C-alpha cells in the first residue's frame, strides 16, 4: 500500500497540503472556474500572488465555496506573495491587506516574499532604473510583524538560493516556513532541498510539470524519456509521475491548469508510488533551470549576472 503523502508539516506546526493548484498565468475568466473545480475535486491548497492579477476573481469563488458549504475556511490552505514593489517595510502591511481584501479573507495560511529583488514602488516593468538595492532583513522584519498579528499564519520566501536562504536564517527571528522555487525532474534542486531539510524549511515546487503552458519557455520536462518509461510501466501519465516524484522527494507541488480533466488527473497521485529502483533513475535526467529571472539582471542592478541572482545555482 502506497504512503499517500497528503500533507507536510511546517516548522510552525501547521500542515501544508502536498498538492496545491497553481494560478500563475491562469487568465481571468478561467481561474475562478479552475479554483472551483479543484476544490470540488478535493484540492485544499491554492497558490496565489498579487502580481498574477487574478486574486479578486479567486476571492469571489472562495466566498461562494464557503457560503455554499462546499469547504470551510479552516479546511483550505491559501498562499499569496509580496510583490517586489512593496519591499519597503512600511508598504508590506498594505500589500497584505490588499491581497486579503481581494481574496475576501481575514488571514493567509502562508505569505511569501516573491523574489529576492526590490523594484521601485509603482513601477510596472523591469527597466534597470526600476531595480533597487535589496534589503531583505528589513522586509523580513515587516513580514514577521504580519506573522505576529496572525494575518499571515506562516511566512516564507520564494526564488531564494541556498545562500540567500542561509543569509536570511542568520538574521530571522521567525525562520521562514517555506521556500517556494522551481522544482521538477529536470531541475531537481538537490543542494537547496538538502539545505532546506537540514534547517526545517519546507521546499514547495512551482512549475512541477515544467510549465508546459508558458509560451516564452521551451520546456520538454514531460517529454523526458526516463519520465516516459516510468509512466508507461506504472500506467500513469508523465505529469502524474513528475508530481508523485516531488511528493516522494518531500516537497509540495503546485501544478497549474485551467482544464478540469487535467486538474483531476494531477490530483490522482496518492494511491500509488514510484518504486525505489525507478526513483533512482531520475538522477540521470539532464538538469536545466527554466525560470531564470533575466529581467532582474543588469549592470546597474544589484544582480549583474544570473550567477549572482542564483548564487551559482543555475
Amino acid at each position: 500500500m502506497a504512503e499517500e503523502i497528503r500533507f507536510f508539516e511546517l516548522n510552525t506546526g501547521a500542515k501544508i497540503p502536498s498538492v496545491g493548484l497553481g494560478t500563475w498565468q491562469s487568465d481571468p475568466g478561467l481561474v475562478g472556474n479552475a479554483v472551483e473545480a479543484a476544490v470540488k475535486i478535493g484540492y485544499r491548497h491554492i497558490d496565489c500572488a498579487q502580481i498574477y492579477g487574478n486574486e479578486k476573481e479567486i476571492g469571489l469563488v472562495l466566498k461562494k465555496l464557503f457560503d455554499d458549504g462546499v469547504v470551510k475556511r479552516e479546511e483550505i490552505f491559501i498562499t499569496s506573495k509580496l510583490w517586489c514593489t512593496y519591499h519597503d517595510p512600511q508598504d508590506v502591511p498594505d500589500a497584505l491587506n490588499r491581497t486579503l481584501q481581494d481574496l475576501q479573507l481575514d488571514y493567509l495560511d502562508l505569505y511569501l516574499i516573491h523574489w529576492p529583488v526590490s523594484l521601485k514602488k509603482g513601477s510596472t516593468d523591469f527597466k534597470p532604473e526600476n531595480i533597487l538595492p535589496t534589503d531583505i532583513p528589513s522586509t523580513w522584519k515587516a513580514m514577521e510583524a504580519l506573522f505576529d498579528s496572525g494575518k499571515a499564519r506562516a511566512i516564507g520566501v520564494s526564488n531564494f538560493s541556498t545562500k540567500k536562504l542561509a543569509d536570511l536564517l542568520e538574521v530571522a527571528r521567525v525562520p521562514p516556513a517555506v521556500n517556494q522555487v522551481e522544482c521538477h525532474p529536470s531541475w531537481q534542486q538537490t543542494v537547496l532541498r538538502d539545505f532546506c531539510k537540514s534547517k526545517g524549511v519546507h521546499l514547495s515546487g512551482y512549475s512541477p510539470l515544467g510549465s508546459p503552458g508558458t509560451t516564452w519557455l521551451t520546456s520538454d520536462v514531460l517529454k523526458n524519456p526516463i519520465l516516459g518509461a516510468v509512466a508507461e510501466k506504472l500506467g500513469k501519465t508523465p505529469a502524474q509521475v513528475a508530481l508523485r516524484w516531488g511528493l516522494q522527494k518531500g516537497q509540495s507541488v503546485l501544478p497549474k491548469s485551467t482544464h478540469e480533466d487535467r486538474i483531476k488527473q494531477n490530483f490522482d497521485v496518492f494511491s500509488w508510488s514510484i518504486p525505489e529502483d525507478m526513483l533512482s533513475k531520475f538522477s540521470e535526467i539532464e538538469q536545466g533551470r527554466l525560470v531564470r529571472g533575466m529581467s532582474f539582471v543588469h549592470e546597474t542592478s544589484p544582480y549583474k549576472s544570473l550567477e549572482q541572482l542564483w548564487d551559482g545555482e543555475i
Side-chain angles (χ1 to χ4, degrees), residues 7 10 25 73 82 102 144 176 181 187 193 208 213 247 251 257 265 272 283 299 307 309:
F7 297 93
L10 300 180
Q25 296 182 315
R73 170 63 188 100
L82 176 79
D102 286 352
E144 290 175 329
V181 293
W187 189 247
R193 186 189 301 111
L247 300 193
Q251 72 229 21
S257 182
Q265 273 184 6
W272 55 280
S283 62
E299 60 198 32
E307 269 81 8
L309 179 61

Side-chain angles (χ1 to χ4, degrees), residues 15-304:
K15 286 191 162 105
I16 184 169
S18 60
V19 179
L21 181 76
T23 59
W24 178 44
Q25 296 182 315
S26 292
D27 296 333
L30 291 178
V31 73
N33 294 340
V35 168
E36 186 172 4
V39 170
K40 287 179 174 171
I41 284 162
Y43 285 69
R44 291 295 177 265
H45 177 179
I46 311 292
D47 183 69
C48 311
Q50 191 172 342
I51 196 66
Y52 300 165
N54 53 20
E55 289 193 326
K56 269 197 168 128
E57 186 175 336
I58 292 169
L60 289 169
V61 170
L62 289 175
K63 185 179 186 315
K64 185 175 182 298
L65 289 165
F66 299 149
D67 289 351
D68 293 352
V70 175
V71 69
K72 295 190 182 83
R73 170 63 188 100
E74 60 272 20
E75 293 170 340
I76 198 161
F77 192 101
I78 310 284
T79 299
S80 187
K81 308 179 193 85
L82 176 79
W83 185 238
C84 309
T85 48
Y86 299 98
H87 277 207
D88 187 315
Q90 64 190 19
D91 295 332
V92 173
D94 295 343
L96 175 64
N97 286 337
R98 186 176 139 193
T99 275
L100 289 174
Q101 199 177 333
D102 286 352
L103 290 171
Q104 302 193 39
L105 300 174
D106 299 326
Y107 68 90
L108 288 177
D109 296 278
L110 178 63
Y111 197 41
L112 306 175
I113 295 179
H114 205 148
W115 282 89
V117 176
S118 298
L119 295 172
K120 202 175 281 180
K121 194 176 177 181
S123 62
T124 54
D125 58 42
F126 306 120
K127 284 181 182 148
E129 60 268 27
N130 290 330
I131 302 174
L132 304 174
T134 55
D135 182 357
I136 297 297
S138 297
T139 306
W140 188 252
K141 269 203 168 111
M143 295 284 283
E144 290 175 329
L146 300 179
F147 173 77
D148 294 339
S149 76
K151 282 185 173 180
R153 295 199 169 175
I155 51 176
V157 294
S158 180
N159 297 301
F160 272 50
S161 65
T162 304
K163 182 185 182 303
K164 287 181 179 57
L165 184 58
D167 290 348
L168 176 56
L169 284 163
E170 287 290 309
V171 298
R173 174 175 60 85
V174 178
V178 170
N179 186 12
Q180 187 190 117
V181 293
E182 176 189 341
C183 195
H184 46 75
S186 297
W187 189 247
Q188 298 187 15
Q189 297 275 22
T190 315
V191 172
L192 180 63
R193 186 189 301 111
D194 289 348
F195 179 74
C196 285
K197 207 171 184 174
S198 74
K199 298 292 180 185
V201 178
H202 174 71
L203 190 91
S204 193
Y206 72 71
S207 300
L209 308 176
S211 234
T214 307
T215 47
W216 46 269
L217 290 176
T218 316
S219 165
D220 294 326
V221 172
L222 295 181
K223 296 188 181 114
N224 185 279
I226 292 174
L227 199 60
V230 171
E232 201 174 322
K233 276 187 187 150
L234 295 174
K236 302 294 173 190
T237 66
Q240 287 170 327
V241 170
L243 295 172
R244 181 68 199 188
W245 168 84
L247 300 193
Q248 287 181 226
K249 283 292 182 183
Q251 72 229 21
S252 50
V253 291
L254 306 167
K256 170 253 160 177
S257 182
T258 51
H259 301 281
E260 191 169 346
D261 55 337
R262 275 195 226 132
I263 292 171
K264 202 169 193 164
Q265 273 184 6
N266 291 343
F267 204 64
D268 179 15
V269 291
F270 301 113
S271 60
W272 55 280
S273 63
I274 304 166
E276 205 48 57
D277 59 326
M278 291 187 196
L279 209 57
S280 63
K281 287 255 181 255
F282 282 72
S283 62
E284 297 165 24
I285 296 176
E286 193 184 336
Q287 296 295 292
R289 184 187 282 283
L290 294 172
V291 179
R292 298 167 72 77
M294 266 316 286
S295 311
F296 302 130
V297 172
H298 191 266
E299 60 198 32
T300 59
S301 153
Y303 305 119
K304 315 274 185 274

